[in-house]
Amino acid sequence: MGLDLPASVSFERLQAPFESASDALARFDERLRSSPVAEAFLLRAHFHDACAALWRAGEFVQLEDLVLHDAGMDVRTPTHELVRAHAVLLTRRRIADREPAWALTTNGLASLRGAWRPNSAVCEPTIGSGAISEVADGELDDEDGETIPAGEFDEIDELLARTSRVIERSEPAPLKRDDSGLVYDEDWDEEARLAEWRERLGRTQILPPLMAACVVLDAWEEIEPLQHSAWLGPLLAAALLRSRGKTRHCLTALHSGFRQAKYRRVGRDDFESRLVAFACAIETMAKADSKELDRLTLARELLLRKCKGRRANSRMSQLVDLCLASPVVTVPFAAKELRVSQQAATTMIDELSSNLRELTGRGRYRAWAVV
């Protein structure tokens, strides 16, 4: 089934911006493949994209608060916006850790939006359940010759069967949805909207990966399948780029790209303008990420100079990796991650202070970041 595009859309006008964006994204992905700070960059990108997702929704979340909340070291009670940003962060990690096409499958999408339901299949009968019922006399003999009545171990077998199903699924239990009408709109049919969006997703197979991701994301923002998880759309579009082989070494941070781009979506924009804006956002994001990769690479070289000539059991190199991987580092956080005392963490951070930026300007509860 082909994709129905408006007659006003001209592929000749779309060719230049999409080719430029595709080239920029491909170059960045290839650089990331051989970069020594690729892992650190990906860890940082999750945090930045989560904050950008809340920014696009009109909320502001401090990057430092999100890092500390993720580490379980909050300095204050987490706000509702911070909890939502952390949900985006965990979702990005789940998508990045699974197979490229997992998020676009029926089970993957249901799991991501919290609508996953246990399977109806049961485990094979065990000695305590099905086997007992097959005994002619309905009883078993133990080692001492005493009879054990049938059904004695039914509760234990049921518990073991439930545990086995949970282990095999390795999926979190779904959150209970509030159907009272106070949180969710009763007239908002998520299943029908998702079916419509998945239909449009299936029609993009004939398009190039970048344009397909653009069409899928535009359809998501037009249909609005989920009431309270609109931020999931760019993550699914990034998963599409990954499943189509356009990005092999990263999950594209589309939220960050739209935050850095000058374009802001409004209702009067036509379809072609939205496509061009998407391509420009991708190109802007790829170039900004390339500069960030250069910055982290240079910072790594400068920080590793401080590690030369140290004893074999020194934790300084691990602290360097932590500073590169985390956007913000505090003394308690470093002590917890490196499993050293806070005094030792303070000493090592002071030795790296010439290449770290102190963010708070205070004498206590200080935080550092890579320059």
Side-chain angles (χ1 to χ4, degrees):
M1 184 180 296
L3 182 66
D4 298 330
L5 295 178
S8 59
V9 176
S10 172
F11 284 96
E12 287 76 11
R13 290 195 295 268
L14 297 177
Q15 183 176 1
F18 270 92
E19 282 189 357
S20 180
S22 180
D23 292 343
L25 187 60
R27 285 194 297 267
F28 168 72
D29 189 67
E30 182 61 24
R31 285 195 59 196
L32 197 62
R33 180 184 64 85
S34 57
S35 175
V37 294
E39 184 177 357
F41 174 85
L42 295 177
L43 294 175
R44 284 172 165 262
H46 292 330
F47 287 104
H48 288 287
D49 198 55
C51 292
L54 268 293
W55 180 87
R56 295 189 67 209
E59 306 291 347
F60 179 70
V61 175
Q62 289 279 2
L63 180 64
E64 297 83 357
D65 292 340
L66 181 58
V67 173
L68 295 178
H69 179 71
D70 182 62
M73 304 181 65
D74 300 272
V75 295
R76 61 181 68 89
T77 303
T79 62
H80 176 65
E81 293 77 16
L82 181 59
V83 174
R84 291 178 60 197
H86 192 242
V88 179
L89 176 67
L90 296 181
T91 303
R92 275 191 59 88
R93 288 173 176 170
R94 289 185 63 191
I95 295 176
D97 292 340
R98 302 297 291 265
E99 295 296 325
W102 171 80
L104 301 174
T105 61
T106 302
N107 293 334
L109 185 57
S111 177
L112 291 175
R113 68 188 186 95
W116 173 83
R117 292 293 181 268
N119 298 327
S120 58
V122 296
C123 298
E124 294 294 330
T126 59
I127 186 62
S129 56
I132 291 180
S133 61
E134 296 175 0
V135 179
D137 57 359
E139 296 181 348
L140 291 177
D141 295 335
D142 63 2
E143 295 179 356
D144 298 332
E146 298 181 359
T147 59
I148 301 176
E152 183 72 20
F153 300 106
D154 286 351
E155 294 183 0
I156 298 178
D157 291 332
E158 183 180 357
L159 176 61
L160 292 176
R162 290 199 306 267
T163 305
S164 300
R165 291 195 295 268
V166 171
I167 294 175
E168 291 176 359
R169 287 190 303 264
S170 299
E171 296 286 352
L175 299 176
K176 185 177 179 180
R177 172 167 169 161
D178 182 10
D179 294 327
S180 63
L182 298 176
V183 179
Y184 289 89
D185 186 359
E186 296 179 355
D187 297 330
W188 198 290
D189 192 350
E190 288 190 351
E191 297 298 335
R193 290 170 181 254
L194 279 172
E196 181 182 357
W197 179 80
R198 290 183 63 85
E199 181 182 1
R200 295 197 189 183
L201 172 64
R203 296 179 180 180
T204 60
Q205 298 296 327
I206 61 175
L207 296 177
L210 196 60
M211 187 173 294
C214 172
V215 173
V216 166
L217 180 56
D218 185 78
W220 180 276
E221 295 183 348
E222 178 185 351
I223 299 172
E224 298 182 358
L226 305 183
Q227 296 186 60
H228 302 288
S229 300
W231 47 262
L232 186 58
L235 301 187
L236 296 178
L240 177 61
L241 289 173
R242 192 161 164 251
S243 65
R244 297 281 296 270
K246 188 59 182 179
T247 55
R248 299 178 181 273
H249 308 98
C250 68
L251 183 66
T252 310
L254 295 181
H255 284 295
S256 298
F258 284 115
R259 183 177 184 178
Q260 297 169 0
K262 298 180 180 180
Y263 172 79
R264 299 293 179 264
R265 180 188 175 105
V266 294
R268 61 179 179 272
D269 293 334
D270 58 4
F271 184 64
E272 183 178 332
S273 298
R274 298 196 298 268
L275 291 179
V276 173
F278 180 87
C280 294
I282 288 289
E283 184 177 4
T284 301
M285 180 214 63
K287 292 181 178 179
D289 288 347
S290 295
K291 293 180 180 179
E292 177 69 9
L293 201 62
D294 293 336
R295 188 181 72 88
L296 292 178
T297 302
L298 178 59
R300 178 177 179 271
E301 295 177 358
L302 295 176
L303 290 173
L304 287 179
R305 293 178 182 178
K306 304 285 186 178
C307 301
K308 294 182 178 179
R310 296 188 174 273
R311 60 183 185 274
N313 61 347
S314 175
R315 301 291 181 89
M316 183 69 75
S317 60
Q318 298 180 24
L319 178 60
V320 170
D321 294 336
L322 179 63
C323 292
L324 293 173
S326 177
V328 179
V329 175
T330 63
V331 170
F333 178 54
K336 176 183 177 181
E337 294 295 324
L338 302 180
R339 297 181 180 180
V340 297
S341 65
Q342 293 195 14
Q343 182 60 41
T346 303
T347 302
M348 288 189 293
I349 290 178
D350 289 341
E351 295 182 9
L352 297 177
S353 59
S354 60
N355 299 112
L356 297 178
R357 177 184 299 168
E358 208 283 318
L359 302 177
T360 63
R362 299 180 300 186
R364 301 179 62 186
Y365 307 109
R366 297 186 297 172
W368 291 265
V370 173
V371 178

